[in-house]
Amino acid sequence: MQRVRILGTGGTIAGEAASETASRYRSAEIGVGPLIAAVPGVRSLAILHGEQFSQTGSQDMSDILWCSLAARINALFNAGEADGVVVTHGTDTAEETGYFLHLCIDSRNPVVLTGAMRPANSLSADGPLNLYNAVAVAADRNAHGRGVIVVINDDLHCARDVTKGNTTDVHAFVSPGPGLLGTASFGKVRYFRTPSRCHTADSEFLMDNMTRLPRVDILYAYTGMSTDCVRDSVSNGARGIVVAGLGNGNVPISIAHALADAAASGVIVVRSTRVGSGEVARGIEVDDDALGFVAADQLNPQKSRVLLQLCLAHGKDRSAIQDAFYRY
Ligand code: GLU
């Protein structure tokens, strides 16, 4: 049997409500041991070992926790202590942590993120089956080389492509564009595809010695947006700005000028989109060459921020960063 380490980080999967039907609850209350014990039959899938990595709602994840989580998983694989890893995680920022790990794990072994939309003691809690399926994927040799996989609601998503698309629905996660990586039904796993972009063992962003990431802000574009936020970001030390732009990464003309000034001062400006799906291409309505911008290609703003932080941590210049957005 494969050895699967389950790293608990908190979230709703470890949440507790006042009653089985209460919608109000506290996330990150239950330890990883009881979470595993609540999943019937899961120990028949793999040799399991639970480890409490942190206990937090994922809105409180940080670059410090990301770096130490990646270092912990790399250490487990390097020491040969696990064949696969499951991370239980809050759903709010699972897409960011997942993409960070997708770029920073130096192994082809499976790394799976899972979570839940309902607290552990709710009527029809979704956590136990999600954890069961996650362990099945982490113990599956066919999962090797597919990068970090988010397993939730019977679906397998590539960590690069997945995003939270609903605030409360059990079917909260979608992978717009590329679609699902596969499905899992009571531990029976099927794959539809393999990620085509660079990840994990092929990634250049291995950073076990790093404990912090450079500051990158996300600015949300809207009708009548003020340039104040651009100036605030720059004067407060942001080394990068990601714009959640309009449509194909557009911004009002005053913002374009303010961002061009930021870019001229050495801040890396990435144009992403607030739309939720589709690509942001160079030079459509915005002259990226003249203004000194990077186009996010397929990454949403929060994933663009992760990649930009890693690029800045590795000292890449603007053209190398644009190249990274096409390769990762
Ligand atoms: N806000 C909490 C978190 O992201 C709960 C959301 C969830 O896990 O579903 O950890």
Side-chain angles (χ1 to χ4, degrees):
M1 278 220 282
Q2 299 281 290
R3 294 157 308 155
V4 172
R5 185 70 60 115
I6 302 180
L7 300 177
T9 73
T12 297
I13 191 168
E16 200 163 28
S19 76
E20 288 88 341
T21 51
S23 50
R24 187 183 170 98
Y25 71 99
R26 284 198 309 267
S27 71
E29 290 288 311
I30 297 170
V32 69
L35 285 190
I36 297 169
V39 187
V42 71
R43 289 195 181 272
S44 68
L45 298 176
I47 301 165
L48 297 182
H49 189 104
E51 180 178 325
Q52 197 70 50
F53 174 80
S54 62
Q55 190 63 295
T56 181
S58 72
Q59 58 269 45
D60 290 318
M61 271 286 154
S62 65
D63 56 337
I64 298 172
L65 285 172
W66 284 348
C67 290
S68 70
L69 182 59
R72 180 68 190 130
I73 296 170
N74 282 332
L76 284 168
F77 288 147
N78 286 338
E81 289 177 30
D83 304 305
V85 166
V86 171
V87 179
T88 60
H89 198 285
T91 60
D92 288 357
T93 63
E95 63 188 274
E96 288 152 84
T97 300
Y99 187 48
F100 177 80
L101 297 175
H102 193 64
L103 299 178
C104 295
I105 297 302
D106 186 17
S107 172
R108 295 186 195 285
N109 289 1
V111 176
V112 178
L113 255 75
T114 194
M117 293 301 290
R118 294 180 182 143
N121 63 332
S122 283
L123 187 63
S124 289
D126 51 332
L129 183 52
N130 287 341
L131 186 52
Y132 187 86
N133 283 330
V135 170
V137 174
D140 183 9
R141 290 184 184 280
N142 286 328
H144 284 235
R146 294 185 200 263
V148 174
I149 302 174
V150 174
V151 175
I152 194 154
N153 198 37
D154 291 359
D155 290 335
L156 272 59
H157 299 266
C158 172
R160 173 182 181 271
D161 305 319
V162 69
T163 190
K164 190 172 186 178
N166 190 286
T167 53
T168 54
D169 202 317
V170 171
H171 180 54
F173 283 84
V174 289
S175 289
L180 291 178
L181 202 62
T183 57
S185 176
F186 295 103
K188 204 173 185 355
V189 184
R190 297 176 64 208
Y191 301 96
F192 305 154
R193 64 184 181 90
T194 302
S196 56
R197 298 282 183 113
C198 217
H199 61 78
T200 57
D202 296 324
S203 164
E204 66 198 283
F205 298 114
L206 304 173
M207 41 173 313
D208 286 355
N209 297 325
M210 201 157 281
T211 54
R212 296 296 314 248
L213 295 174
R215 174 171 168 167
V216 171
D217 290 347
I218 297 175
L219 304 184
Y220 196 94
Y222 51 92
T223 303
M225 181 183 186
S226 151
T227 56
D228 293 353
C229 56
V230 179
R231 278 192 293 272
D232 281 353
S233 281
V234 174
S235 65
N236 282 305
R239 295 192 41 214
I241 294 174
V242 174
V243 192
L246 311 162
N248 198 341
N250 293 313
V251 287
I253 189 69
S254 58
I255 303 295
H257 289 145
L259 290 170
D261 289 345
S265 75
V267 174
I268 302 294
V269 176
V270 174
R271 290 190 305 110
S272 180
T273 176
R274 68 179 197 175
V275 169
S277 66
E279 299 180 359
V280 170
R282 285 188 73 79
I284 306 297
E285 286 188 73
V286 178
D287 189 342
D288 293 294
D289 292 337
L291 299 173
F293 299 159
V294 171
D297 192 34
Q298 297 170 347
L299 295 182
N300 70 20
Q302 51 273 34
K303 286 173 201 277
S304 295
R305 176 175 178 268
V306 171
L307 181 56
L308 180 52
Q309 285 181 296
L310 288 170
C311 286
L312 290 167
H314 281 72
K316 285 182 179 291
D317 66 17
R318 193 165 67 219
S319 92
I321 292 172
Q322 180 64 77
D323 183 54
F325 274 83
Y326 291 138
R327 285 193 299 118
Y328 288 96

